[in-house]
Amino acid sequence: MENSTKPTVVVIGNGMVGYKFCERLLAKSTDFNLIVFGEEPRRAYDRVHLSEYFSGKTAEDLSMSSLEWYEENGIQLHLSDPVLEINRQNKTIHSQKGITQSYDYLVLATGSSAFVPNIPGVEKEGVFVYRTIEDLDMMKAHAKKAKKGAVIGGGLLGLEAAKALIDLGIEETHVIEFAPRLMPRQIDSAGSTMLESKLKALGLQIHLNKSTSSINGEDAISNLQFADDTKMELDMLVISAGIRPRDEIAKLAGLEVGSRGGIQVNEKLQTSDSNIFAIGECALHNGMIYGLVAPGYEMAEVVAANLCGGDKSFNGFDMSTKLKLIGVDVASFGDPFVTEPDGRTIVFEDTHKGIYKRINLTTDGKYLLGGILIGDADAYNILLQTVNNKIVLPPNPEDLILGSRGGESDAGTGVMSLPDDALICSCEAVTKGAICSAVNEQNCTTIDGMKKCTKAGTGCGGCVPLVKDLIAGTMKANGVYVKNVVCEHFDYSRQELLSLIKIDGIHTYDEVLTKYGKGDGCEVCKPVVASILASLWNDLILKQDTIQDSNDRFLANIQKGGTYSVVPRIAGGEITPDKLIAIGTVGKKYNLYTKITGGQRIDLFGAHLSDLPDIWEELIDAGFESGHAYGKSLRTVKSCVGSTWCRFGLHDSVSFAIEVEDRYKGLRSPHKLKGGVSGCIRECAEAQSKDFGIIATEKGWNLYVCGNGGSKPQHAQLLATDIDKETCIKYLDRFLMFYVKTADPLTRTATWLNKMEGGMAYLKNVIVNDSLGIGEELEAAMQQHVNTYQCEWKAAIENPEMRKRFNHFVNAPKEKDPTSALVPMREQVKAKEW
C-alpha cells in the first residue's frame, strides 16, 4: 500500500503514552502514515523514573527510544511544535510552526500539567513545579544557592519531589500537606502515621492540615504564609499538588470535556468526535482521570487494536501501586479502605521496625479485597494477584502478611498457581501465560531476555520479582535445573567460579574471563571476580582496579561533594592518647571533618583525592593502617571495656576483640563483615546484631553468627556455648571461610543463612561437627590469609606507579578537584553541594 493511500494517524503529544501508542500500532500494522507532534524539545522519556535524573541519569538515559527508531519506522516527528488548532470539519490540525496536517484519525495524548493552586506569589523566583526535565534543570540551577526548601503536596508526586530536594543537597526540607495525612488517596491514617515517622527519621519535616495563603518575597521567595497565621522561611519551593488534564485544544475544537477537566471518552476511547481519540492523563473515562502510566498504556493498546480492525474496550483499570519513596517501601492494592460491614480487616504494626501492613477481606474471609503495605512491601505482587484473580485465601489469611508458621507453607498460594490470564506486568499488559510461553517456546530464561521477548518489566519495574519467580518456576516445572549464575558472561555460580579459579591458580580477571567466560564482562561480574581473587590470594586490590567499584579503586569511600573519607583501623575501639593526637593533627592539617562511628572508630571526611596518600603516610607513621571501610571485608569488631574496667565483666573482651580483628582484618568476602565481643550478658558491644558475636560466660565464650543491623535487622543465632578462646577462633575461621566460599555476591551472612537449606542446624553441623570433612581446609585457608595480610594503604603509597593514580589531574599532580569544596558547619566543615 502506497503512502498516499494509507490512512493518516496524527498523534498530539509525545509523552510516554503517546510513544507507547506508536509502538503498539506499529506492532499490529504498518498500513498507516504516523505523524507525531510534541510540545517538548526532546523525544519521549521516562517520567516514572524522573527523580533518577538527580542521581546521575542523563536525559538520554531516560529517553524511551532513539531518533533513528522514528526514522526507521517511518514516523514523522515534530518536536517543540505544539498543535494550536483542530479543524474537525476539514480534519486538519495547525501547529505553532505553521504546519497544516490532514488526518484520518486523531489521537490526543496531551497528558497533564502540574496543578498550581491560585496562591498569590506563585510566579516568584525559586518556585517550581516537578514535571519535566526542563523543570528539573531549573531546580538544579537554583538549588546551588538554596538551603531551605519545601514541597506543597504530600501525595505520590509530592514525596518524589521531596526526594529530589534531598538529592539536590537542600539542608532542610519540608513537606506541606493540606489533608490530615500523607498520601490520602492511597493509604489510611495508621499507614500515614507510620510513613510520617519513617520520613521524619530521614530528615524530612512534615506539616499536615496546612493551607498556604501566600508566597512572600520581593522578586524571589523568602517565606510562606499559612492560613493559621504562621510563617515558614524558605528559599526554594516545589508545588506538587496534583495534576490537571491538558484538554485546552479539545475545548477549542468543541469536544466534550468534564466539568472538572478531562476529555470525555467512551469505552473505545473515542471522544464526542468518532474520528478523534484521547488516551492517558488527558482522557476522562467514566468520571475518572488515571494518573498512572499503566492505564495510559492500556488505553494506547485499546486504540491501536481498534484502528487495526479489532473490537477492544477500556473498562477501567486497577490503580494499585508500589513505590520506594525516599527509600521507604509504600504500596496499596485493590480497595485499601474497606471497613465494616463491607469487609474485615487484619492489621500488623511494628513500630520498632517501621512496618505497617493491612489486608481487607470479604466478610466470610474467603477472598482478599485490598490492602496497604508500609516499610516492607515484598509481598505486594502476590497479594495484588490474589486480589485480581479472586484466589481463595488459606485457612489463616493472616499468614499473607505474617508468613506461614509452624514450618508449613500453604499450597496453592505461589506464583505458579496463578491462572494463565493473570496480568503480571500491567504496564505492558503481559500475562503469566505469555511469560511461561516465552520460557517454553523462546528459551527466555533471564530477566533481560524476558524484557526483549515480552517487554515485561520495562515499565515501572515493579513486576520484576514476580517475573523472576515465574521464569524459575516454569523451568523447574520443565525439569530444568535452575542455576544461580553470576551473570550472562559466566555460566557459573560464585561458588563454582571461586573453586575453578583456585584449582587453576588464576590471578587476573582477563584470565578468568578468557578461560571461563564470554564477552567483555559487566558491572556485575567484574567486582565479583575481583572479590574472589582478593579472597583467594589476598593480593593488593589495586592490582584489580579496572574491575573494581570506585571505593576500592581509591582505597577510600567517595562522599557527597566528591571528596573521600579516611578510616584508620582502631581494633576493638582501643586507642592510645598519642594515636588520638596523631588523628587530630592530620584532621587539622588537611581540614577534615571528624566523627566517632558506631563501630568505635574515627572517620575523617573531606579528603581530596590527591591528598589521600599523604594522609595515609602520616597515619601509618603514627602506627595506624587501613580500616577497609571501603571494601567488602571485615569492618570492625566492637567491644565493651570488659573485665579490665567493668565490675560486671567476666572476661577481657577488649583483648579478645583486638585479637579477632587483627586476625580477620582485610578478609575479602561477598559482603561487609562486622563483629562484636561483649564481656558479659549485658551485651554492651551489641554482639548479637553482628555477622559474628562473642559473649563472655562464666565458663568461657558463647559464639553467635549471622546477625545484622540495617533496614531489616536480624539477631545472630547461637552456634556454640561455653567454649574457650582457641575453639572460638577455630569455629570463626571455619564459619568465615565457609561463608566466603559459598555465599552469593553482595549477600550478608544473615541472608546467606536464611537461604541455606537446613538452616542453623546444617551450619552448626558443618562448622562444629565438621560433617563435610572440610574443617582443616577452611582453617588452612584462613591461616594463609593471616600470613599474607598487608596494609593496602601502605602498599599503595610505597609503589610509585600506584601512587600516581591518586592525582586528580595528570599534568598537575598537586592540584585538587576545583568542584570539590568544603564549607563551615558548627566548628568543623561539610561538603559543599556538588
Side-chain angles (χ1 to χ4, degrees), residues 335-602:
D335 186 342
F337 301 121
V338 175
T339 55
E340 298 279 0
D342 301 318
R344 292 162 46 200
T345 298
I346 298 174
V347 172
F348 169 75
E349 188 171 7
D350 184 341
T351 54
H352 173 64
K353 294 183 179 178
I355 294 172
Y356 174 80
K357 300 181 181 183
R358 165 180 171 164
I359 53 173
N360 305 319
L361 319 176
T362 53
T363 51
D364 59 6
K366 197 172 181 181
Y367 297 103
L368 184 63
L369 298 174
I372 297 165
L373 304 170
I374 310 287
D376 177 11
D378 289 348
Y380 166 76
N381 283 305
I382 198 66
L383 291 176
L384 176 59
Q385 294 298 331
T386 303
V387 173
N388 291 346
N389 295 287
K390 295 182 171 57
I391 296 173
V392 177
L393 297 179
N396 300 308
E398 66 272 17
D399 289 352
L400 294 173
I401 53 177
L402 296 177
S404 49
R405 287 145 294 156
E408 298 179 358
S409 60
D410 297 301
T413 59
V415 64
M416 293 305 292
S417 67
L418 296 173
D420 282 349
D421 60 358
L423 191 64
I424 302 300
C425 176
S426 56
C427 291
E428 294 291 341
V430 184
T431 63
K432 175 201 169 188
I435 291 168
C436 295
S437 176
V439 175
N440 291 328
E441 298 172 17
Q442 300 178 61
N443 197 32
C444 291
T445 57
T446 66
I447 283 294
D448 285 344
M450 190 58 67
K451 286 180 178 179
K452 292 173 184 175
C453 287
T454 65
K455 288 191 171 276
T458 58
C460 70
C463 65
V464 168
L466 214 54
V467 174
K468 282 183 179 178
D469 290 344
L470 274 173
I471 293 172
T474 305
M475 293 172 68
K476 190 174 181 181
N478 293 339
V480 177
Y481 170 62
V482 181
K483 196 169 186 181
N484 180 25
V485 299
V486 168
C487 71
E488 63 192 56
H489 302 107
F490 288 96
D491 192 27
Y492 300 98
S493 68
R494 180 187 177 277
Q495 300 92 308
E496 291 169 333
L497 205 52
L498 185 144
S499 296
L500 290 168
I501 292 170
K502 182 179 180 182
I503 290 168
D504 289 336
I506 297 175
H507 284 71
T508 69
Y509 174 78
D510 288 341
E511 286 180 273
V512 175
L513 186 63
T514 300
K515 187 151 189 175
Y516 302 118
K518 56 190 174 185
D520 298 320
C522 65
E523 68 276 6
V524 174
C525 61
K526 288 179 178 179
V528 170
V529 173
S531 174
I532 290 173
L533 293 170
S535 296
L536 285 174
W537 315 124
N538 208 15
D539 208 352
L540 186 61
I541 200 72
L542 283 188
K543 292 183 179 179
Q544 304 290 344
D545 77 317
T546 56
I547 61 171
Q548 278 303 295
D549 296 326
S550 60
N551 289 338
D552 267 331
R553 188 169 297 160
F554 296 118
L555 305 181
N557 284 338
I558 189 168
Q559 302 291 353
K560 191 175 180 179
T563 57
Y564 291 79
S565 60
V566 173
V567 187
R569 187 169 300 284
I570 301 175
E574 183 181 82
I575 188 167
T576 65
D578 284 341
K579 285 188 174 181
L580 277 174
I581 291 168
I583 287 179
T585 301
V586 167
K588 287 183 72 174
K589 180 175 179 179
Y590 294 95
N591 194 29
L592 306 177
Y593 170 88
T594 56
K595 184 183 183 302
I596 296 174
T597 73
Q600 298 178 328
R601 302 203 291 198
I602 298 174

